[in-house]
Amino acid sequence: MLSYASKRILIGIVTLLAASILVFAVLEVVPGDPARLMLGMNATEDAVRTLQEQMGLNQPLVVRYLRWLGGLLTGDLGRSYTYSVPVISLIIERVAVSLPLALISLILSTAIAIPVGLFSAARRGTFCDTVTMGVAQVGVAIPNFWFALLLVYVFAVTLRLVPAGGFPGWNTGLWPGLKSLILPSVALALPQAAILARVTRSALLDVLGEDYIRTARAKGLTHRKVLYGHALRNALIPVLTILGLQFAFLLAGTIIIENVFYLPGLGRLVFQAITQRDLIVVEGVVMVLVAAVIFVNLLVDLSYAIIDPRLRSRS
């Protein structure tokens, strides 16, 4: 197990290093001079050059990358050109919104999808299976931003049960903060639950056709025991793969939802930083998100080895 984990950690480190090179290179070739954008188009050349020196933009590309990489290793992500505060403080402030939103959405999605997938797989080919998967297909097809607007209209505007948008901050209390995340969590979770339910059903049906399942049935085990005791665990590997991808999406891909609900999360921060040409913020946030995705994938890989010990022996 230790050898398996060490290899996965090494792969994660190499991936993170490659991602840092790619992120830095892509953002550096984006047109536009941050110094000129900050000072305005009417700024003099001397003022622009002075600000470029202060920001280190006049140094060679390799030097700037190595300085930036060294800062990443020490937790110093630089200083925002727009907000004039350390980038790490901006990220910590915004991740306090994005991380709970992603976790709540993932928990809700899993709580819905796994039982639905089990229900549908246990009734394969029946009317209930057809209806369930039809509803799931509709859930996959519905854009989450449209669904978010529908939720706002029904539960915030019409019924007035929850706020339509905004985030009061955790210092106002746990419930006010969670209440403001209910609608965005549901808007994110239901489309993801539809995807996960279909994957769960497909994985279970593949496992239910295996020889050891027929052997378990021949021994007289009930359908419920076969499904929950034997099939479910062996069907978890593709389900965990999708869960890892969904968490990465929920953490990094919520720009539209955060803008719909005016949530001060990481997605909205990246969107604002791009429009303001605040490259140092974009680089910092993207690298934090990449590191989070790599860490989640590492946890998923380790869970594979726990579920299926054969993977440890192969490594």
Side-chain angles (χ1 to χ4, degrees), residues 236-251:
L236 282 180
I237 288 183
V239 173
L240 286 173
T241 302
I242 297 299
L243 280 175
L245 295 174
Q246 287 187 340
F247 181 75
F249 165 77
L250 292 171
L251 187 61

Side-chain angles (χ1 to χ4, degrees), residues 24 97 185:
F24 185 83
V97 178
S185 297

Side-chain angles (χ1 to χ4, degrees), residues 90-102 104 162-185 257-266 268:
L90 286 174
I91 293 176
I92 292 174
E93 178 184 351
R94 302 301 181 96
V95 80
V97 178
S98 292
L99 184 59
L101 176 62
I104 294 171
V162 289
F167 184 73
W170 296 112
N171 55 351
T172 61
L174 180 62
W175 173 239
L178 290 176
K179 191 176 180 180
S180 66
L181 296 180
I182 291 176
L183 288 187
S185 297
I257 293 298
E258 288 182 359
N259 278 279
V260 169
F261 290 98
Y262 296 99
L263 296 176
L266 287 175
R268 189 169 174 82

Side-chain angles (χ1 to χ4, degrees), residues 1-8 305 309-315:
M1 182 66 179
L2 182 60
S3 174
Y4 179 84
S6 299
K7 290 181 180 178
R8 292 300 178 274
R310 292 174 298 178
L311 294 176
R312 299 198 297 265
S313 61
R314 290 173 189 168
S315 65

Side-chain angles (χ1 to χ4, degrees), residues 80-276:
S80 169
Y81 305 151
T82 304
Y83 300 100
S84 297
V85 296
V87 174
I88 189 65
S89 65
L90 286 174
I91 293 176
I92 292 174
E93 178 184 351
R94 302 301 181 96
V95 80
V97 178
S98 292
L99 184 59
L101 176 62
L103 289 174
I104 294 171
S105 301
L106 188 67
I107 292 171
L108 182 59
S109 171
T110 306
I112 296 172
I114 301 299
V116 169
L118 282 167
F119 174 85
S120 186
R123 293 160 179 81
R124 179 183 184 182
T126 64
F127 176 75
C128 292
D129 178 31
T130 303
V131 172
T132 302
M133 288 299 100
V135 173
Q137 183 62 44
V138 173
V140 173
I142 292 178
N144 57 11
F145 71 88
W146 180 88
F147 187 54
L149 294 174
L150 181 63
L151 290 175
V152 169
Y153 177 75
V154 173
F155 293 100
V157 177
T158 304
L159 300 178
R160 299 182 182 276
L161 296 177
V162 289
F167 184 73
W170 296 112
N171 55 351
T172 61
L174 180 62
W175 173 239
L178 290 176
K179 191 176 180 180
S180 66
L181 296 180
I182 291 176
L183 288 187
S185 297
V186 174
L188 288 169
L190 291 187
Q192 299 303 312
I195 298 172
L196 187 60
R198 293 178 65 85
V199 172
T200 302
R201 175 186 180 275
S202 177
L204 281 168
L205 292 179
D206 288 342
V207 171
L208 288 173
E210 296 291 337
D211 292 337
Y212 67 89
I213 296 295
R214 288 192 286 270
T215 302
R217 286 172 174 165
K219 290 180 179 180
L221 295 180
T222 64
H223 182 69
R224 185 181 183 87
K225 288 184 178 180
V226 170
L227 187 64
Y228 289 94
H230 293 76
L232 181 58
R233 177 174 178 175
N234 291 283
L236 282 180
I237 288 183
V239 173
L240 286 173
T241 302
I242 297 299
L243 280 175
L245 295 174
Q246 287 187 340
F247 181 75
F249 165 77
L250 292 171
L251 187 61
T254 59
I255 295 177
I256 295 177
I257 293 298
E258 288 182 359
N259 278 279
V260 169
F261 290 98
Y262 296 99
L263 296 176
L266 287 175
R268 189 169 174 82
L269 176 62
V270 171
F271 177 77
Q272 293 171 336
I274 291 174
T275 58
Q276 295 162 346

